[in-house]
Amino acid sequence: MSLPILPLIDTFGRRHNNLRLSVTDRCNIRCFYCMPAEQVKFLPRHEILTFEEIERLVQAFAHVGVDKLRLTGGEPLVRSDIDQLVHRLKSIPQIREVAMTTNAVNLAKQAERLKHAGLDRLNISLDALDRDTLVAITRRDVLDQVLAGIAAAQDVGFKRIRLNAVAIKGLTEAEVLPLARFALERDLELRFIEYMPLDSDQTWSNEKVLSGETIRELIEQEFGPLVPAQRTDPSQPAFDYRYAEGRGRLGLIHPVTAPFCDTCNRLRLTAEGKLRNCLFSLEEWDLRALLRQGASEQEILALVRACVLAKQPGHLIGQKHFERPVRTMHQIGG
Ligand code: SAM
Ligand code: SF4
């Protein structure tokens, strides 16, 4: 019996069709804004959702209007046979798009398999082209692997690849223009993301946020005025621009200085099956427990709706009542 489609609309009228799936909390590098440098406590394997469990949950979400998925983590490419999960998810009829966010360290050897499995889009994280700066951020020397991963992804035919760069004051200003040139030369869409308070070292402060506005000024000094690009999807978090002569595409994501919560259409599932209605959510809904108790799809969707209905209007970063979630970024899924 097929379920009626009652979309996941929250109390502020936001319709949720976008699910970010963390497939692991593990990672092969250690970005300081996301993970501790050492002694990281990873989830034991039996706590992580199996591919079958993920597929079953996505089928339920698909019945209530979720049609966009993004695989993330931790680093999704450290999960074995991740291309098989892509293939399974792409086989769910309602799913329009399966994308992935990756650090690209392992991408060169997996790009072809991912393309074959049907992965639609790739976001690749690269905060710096200067080797020392990248090492300072990731605590590993991985620049060559990342560049090889980008090249391999383009070679196997991935289009509209996005480069994501976290913008950190005092650390990445000098990277803005080299990254912009690199992206333009290689036909990549570059997005700068303001540094958010999800680091495990708890060293984030408002003063360390290199704002989207400052980045825009840096870019415009070099390339001339940016022209706002047409917004095809109002739930996209980025303010998109084109360079003056119509070339390239640049996105600025300002979660801290100009939050986009009022159009948020995202839900997040952690690697161990906890559903979150916001990156900064202080509450979670345990879908794995239901799954492993043999719950029906209706029971699973009832919990999903409870999560959606509890969604707050927005986060309070930088405000007096802001409370950090206990989890850091790699334990949530960025
Ligand atoms: N490992 C993959 C990667 O780095 O692309 C996927 C997971 S990572 C958590 C997803 C995205 O979140 C990356 O682009 C990363 O740079 C970003 N990110 C992590 N911690 C962040 C923070 N504190 N503030 C802003 N962005 C952050
Ligand atoms: Fe790993 Fe991505 Fe976190 Fe960096 S941002 S430590 S690559 S999960």
Side-chain angles (χ1 to χ4, degrees):
M1 189 189 76
S2 67
L3 291 164
I5 297 198
L6 267 179
L8 298 171
I9 299 179
D10 72 6
T11 53
F12 302 92
R14 295 170 296 196
R15 182 175 180 274
H16 294 74
N17 71 320
N18 189 324
L19 179 65
R20 296 172 84 96
L21 287 163
S22 172
V23 294
T24 179
D25 59 339
R26 289 170 194 259
C27 189
N28 41 7
I29 61 177
R30 293 285 182 275
C31 306
F32 76 86
Y33 47 65
C34 174
M35 281 180 101
E38 285 162 13
Q39 296 178 326
V40 192
K41 281 206 196 89
F42 292 116
L43 290 164
R45 204 187 175 88
H46 69 271
E47 290 204 15
I48 304 261
L49 292 181
T50 63
F51 286 176
E52 288 72 23
E53 288 172 328
I54 294 174
E55 189 181 8
R56 182 148 174 244
L57 287 177
V58 172
Q59 278 165 345
F61 278 100
H63 287 148
V64 287
V66 167
D67 56 7
K68 277 182 90 175
L69 304 175
R70 176 168 296 277
L71 304 183
T72 180
E75 170 48 39
L77 296 183
V78 302
R79 175 114 186 217
S80 310
D81 302 322
I82 192 69
D83 56 305
Q84 292 179 15
L85 179 65
V86 171
H87 180 68
R88 280 169 181 247
L89 299 176
K90 279 293 291 184
S91 307
I92 298 173
Q94 296 88 343
I95 298 300
R96 271 191 306 129
E97 181 178 291
V98 179
M100 179 182 285
T101 302
T102 171
N103 62 28
V105 172
N106 285 349
L107 184 57
K109 49 180 187 284
Q110 298 192 48
E112 191 155 13
R113 258 179 285 152
L114 291 167
K115 187 74 188 155
H116 241 206
L119 186 71
D120 294 292
R121 290 205 66 180
L122 273 169
N123 282 13
I124 295 178
S125 303
L126 178 62
D127 302 333
L129 285 165
D130 174 70
R131 189 176 300 273
D132 293 341
T133 308
L134 194 64
V135 170
I137 294 170
T138 62
R139 297 148 163 161
R140 300 287 188 275
D141 185 0
V142 289
L143 182 63
D144 298 335
Q145 283 138 279
V146 179
L147 297 181
I150 295 170
Q154 292 192 307
D155 284 349
V156 302
F158 280 102
K159 303 271 184 258
R160 295 167 58 222
I161 297 174
R162 280 197 191 121
L163 273 194
N164 284 349
V166 180
I168 305 154
K169 206 185 262 178
L171 191 56
T172 65
E173 285 91 339
E175 296 301 320
V176 171
L177 297 181
L179 280 168
R181 284 188 208 103
F182 176 84
L184 266 172
E185 280 160 17
R186 285 167 182 74
D187 198 21
L188 302 161
E189 187 179 322
L190 176 63
R191 282 183 158 189
F192 290 98
I193 309 171
E194 290 174 347
Y195 175 25
M196 295 181 282
L198 290 164
D199 55 318
S200 51
D201 305 342
Q202 307 231 356
T203 56
W204 181 92
S205 70
N206 246 327
E207 291 66 47
K208 291 186 183 160
V209 178
L210 180 59
S211 71
E213 209 36 58
T214 308
I215 290 174
R216 186 176 165 171
E217 283 164 18
L218 287 169
I219 299 258
E220 289 193 328
Q221 277 163 21
E222 176 75 10
F223 294 97
L226 290 170
V227 183
Q230 212 176 348
R231 225 173 151 78
T232 45
D233 176 358
S235 63
Q236 269 301 316
F239 290 86
D240 285 324
Y241 299 92
R242 289 198 168 280
Y243 293 93
E245 67 280 33
R247 281 198 313 154
R249 207 174 166 95
L250 176 86
L252 300 176
I253 307 186
H254 323 59
V256 181
T257 62
F260 41 85
C261 305
D262 55 348
T263 56
C264 179
N265 65 350
R266 294 153 186 223
L267 295 170
R268 292 167 193 271
L269 189 66
T270 69
E272 80 275 44
K274 304 274 171 65
L275 189 65
R276 300 171 62 87
N277 54 29
C278 175
L279 255 183
F280 297 95
S281 177
L282 300 173
E283 214 181 327
E284 300 181 332
W285 286 259
D286 192 351
L287 292 181
R288 188 192 65 194
L290 274 191
L291 265 183
R292 294 190 181 172
Q293 286 156 20
S296 66
E297 184 163 311
Q298 281 92 335
E299 288 166 322
I300 288 168
L301 287 176
L303 197 68
V304 171
R305 285 191 197 285
C307 170
V308 171
L309 289 174
K311 185 156 170 159
Q312 299 297 307
H315 66 66
L316 300 171
I317 299 177
Q319 298 178 38
K320 198 165 141 213
H321 298 295
F322 175 68
E323 204 179 322
R324 282 180 65 124
V326 176
R327 289 177 186 265
T328 60
M329 189 64 121
H330 79 106
Q331 299 165 320
I332 299 174

